[in-house]
Amino acid sequence: MRAKVSMITGAAGEVGQALIQRLAETEAYAEPGDGRQPFGDDEHYILTLDLKPLPPEIARHVIQVEGSILDTALLDRLVSEYEIEEIYHLAALLSTRAEFSPDAAHRVNVEGTMGLLHLAAQQSEWRGESVRFIFPSSIAVFGLPDLQTKESYARVREWEWNYPTTMYGCNKLYCEMLGNYFSRHYRQLAADQPTSLDFRSVRFPGLVSAYTVPSGGSSDYGPEMLHAAAKGVPYSCFVREDVRIPFMAMPDAVKALIDLAHAPRQRLNRPVYNVTSFSLSAAQFREQVLCHFPDAQISFSPDLKRQKIVDTWPSDLDDSAAQRDWGWKPEYNVERAFAEYLVPNIRERYQGNTAGHAD
Ligand code: SER
């Protein structure tokens, strides 16, 4: 018997680490222990795949595999050893990094996703039951042509302005479509259309975690500003003060993925949903940071090229479809996000090295 698993790719990244911790808190997954016990037939495990190792405190919850999503021999081995019931496909090169190496970004973001969609489709057919495929997409799939348009289309809906200007945004938009294709139309001309995968996707705004700092994204100025303040080091923001995009605290991002994964399929009228929680200009983000770290030194020296990318992203998202179809509701508005999640945990993380005053 193969052990039943939920597979998480890109598990060592920001979202991956937070997701594992949340999933491990539920009763639904067994821990693999020291590997000497055989896997239980009725148990479900978390299987992770990443090039990098997980921090030990997270690794103990999972069956950890170090490797690439592009390694087809490795994927074949995993399928032979495990019954993959669900995939959280988080591995990706983010928007800034992808501009420096667009070919590599295409390989990882598109070819990597295609390989996993194939795997999920085959597994679904084999089991006669759909493998759920949860895919985080991004505000980078939007591309507003200029600031005036950005101003007038404040809350952008899923199907509006799908004209990405970055390799990452193009990759995400195309993979949303591939996911929908595999889920609803794969082998549509076959005499007997087989069971295929169940693709579900959310478009995230900029994510902010108390425990990890993102790398290679264009919304990174928010979290970078906050973590620099907590460490007591000066920060120079790479976008203008007036630049506004939506953000979300990491626990809400994880909640969105899990809530969407568990939503009854018949309730889902779309393959892809916008989700958001609060929208801030870079100056307002700085004000929030200063409320908690009043001595923080935050200046603005825009990098015009990175700035240009963020200028094409919407200032807010309309997530009413997610609210209506699967009850999406963030737990953290901006005040709660800073006061109850970000600041206390960040202070603890950099304890003894804070620029601010205790609340
Ligand atoms: N945070 C991502 C980035 O900046 C956008 O989804 O690339």
Side-chain angles (χ1 to χ4, degrees):
M1 278 290 282
R2 299 176 302 166
K4 297 185 179 73
V5 296
S6 287
M7 179 158 107
I8 304 178
T9 71
E14 284 208 284
V15 181
Q17 292 191 33
L19 176 64
I20 292 166
Q21 277 187 314
R22 180 72 65 89
L23 291 178
E25 283 163 15
T26 70
E27 302 287 302
Y29 296 93
E31 301 208 346
D34 60 10
R36 273 176 288 183
Q37 303 296 326
F39 293 123
D41 283 355
D42 297 326
E43 307 281 24
H44 297 253
Y45 298 87
I46 301 171
L47 172 74
T48 64
L49 179 58
D50 201 302
L51 293 170
K52 287 180 288 186
L54 288 164
E57 68 278 12
I58 295 181
R60 69 191 168 86
H61 300 301
V62 306
I63 304 165
Q64 181 178 197
V65 177
E66 278 174 51
S68 167
I69 56 167
L70 297 171
D71 182 344
T72 48
L74 173 61
L75 294 183
D76 285 347
R77 176 170 76 75
L78 294 181
V79 166
S80 72
E81 287 180 21
Y82 302 102
E83 182 176 341
I84 299 171
E85 299 183 304
E86 176 177 63
I87 299 175
Y88 289 89
H89 174 38
L90 313 180
L93 260 64
L94 295 186
S95 59
T96 294
R97 181 156 303 156
E99 290 310 299
F100 288 110
S101 43
D103 291 342
H106 193 275
R107 265 195 307 282
V108 174
N109 296 351
V110 175
E111 291 169 33
T113 303
M114 179 73 178
L116 288 160
L117 285 167
H118 253 297
L119 179 155
Q122 281 167 355
Q123 286 293 295
S124 302
E125 188 174 349
W126 176 262
R127 299 168 73 220
E129 195 180 330
S130 293
V131 170
R132 271 198 308 249
F133 196 102
I134 313 301
F135 182 67
S137 186
S138 161
I139 42 169
V141 302
F142 298 106
L144 292 126
D146 49 53
L147 291 178
Q148 210 184 347
T149 313
K150 175 164 170 161
E151 185 101 333
S152 51
Y153 283 86
R155 286 170 63 75
V156 172
R157 291 174 295 182
E158 280 85 353
W159 58 91
E160 296 175 315
W161 300 106
N162 288 172
Y163 307 115
T165 64
T166 58
M167 185 52 140
Y168 172 73
C170 293
N171 296 164
K172 285 289 185 188
L173 187 60
Y174 176 53
C175 287
E176 289 177 359
M177 292 179 185
L178 276 181
N180 185 46
Y181 166 76
F182 271 96
S183 191
R184 293 166 196 224
H185 309 294
Y186 183 54
R187 294 184 36 190
Q188 56 192 299
L189 299 185
D192 192 9
Q193 205 182 347
T195 306
S196 195
L197 55 92
D198 177 358
F199 178 84
R200 305 171 178 206
S201 176
V202 280
R203 287 186 186 150
F204 281 137
L207 302 181
V208 196
S209 167
Y211 301 101
T212 48
V213 188
S215 67
S218 306
S219 59
D220 295 2
Y221 58 89
E224 283 174 0
M225 205 184 271
L226 177 61
H227 283 257
K231 282 194 276 189
V233 299
Y235 182 71
S236 174
C237 179
F238 61 79
V239 299
R240 291 185 319 270
E241 295 186 42
D242 63 289
V243 168
R244 174 189 291 274
I245 57 165
F247 286 97
M248 182 182 286
M250 190 58 81
D252 275 332
V254 167
K255 174 174 145 57
L257 291 174
I258 295 175
D259 286 357
L260 179 61
H262 292 126
R265 191 171 185 179
Q266 68 276 14
R267 296 284 307 275
L268 303 179
N269 293 305
R270 311 182 46 77
V272 181
Y273 289 90
N274 287 348
V275 286
T276 190
S277 50
F278 51 87
S279 182
L280 291 177
S281 68
Q284 289 169 326
F285 206 110
R286 176 174 178 266
E287 280 163 29
Q288 288 294 329
V289 174
L290 287 172
C291 281
H292 299 277
F293 299 99
D295 301 332
Q297 295 172 53
I298 301 165
S299 57
F300 290 85
S301 54
D303 169 336
L304 296 184
K305 291 182 176 156
R306 289 182 91 182
Q307 157 85 69
K308 198 169 144 210
I309 291 176
V310 188
D311 277 342
T312 69
W313 293 352
S315 54
D316 205 351
L317 296 173
D318 181 329
D319 61 2
S320 52
Q323 293 176 29
R324 194 182 51 241
D325 286 2
W326 46 280
W328 159 247
K329 193 173 185 307
E331 281 177 2
Y332 292 92
N333 62 15
V334 64
E335 287 79 20
R336 263 200 89 197
F338 276 83
E340 293 179 31
Y341 164 66
L342 292 168
V343 173
N345 291 309
I346 285 182
R347 274 196 206 286
E348 199 177 310
R349 181 175 173 200
Y350 301 114
Q351 217 168 23
N353 188 19
T354 55
H357 304 276
D359 286 332

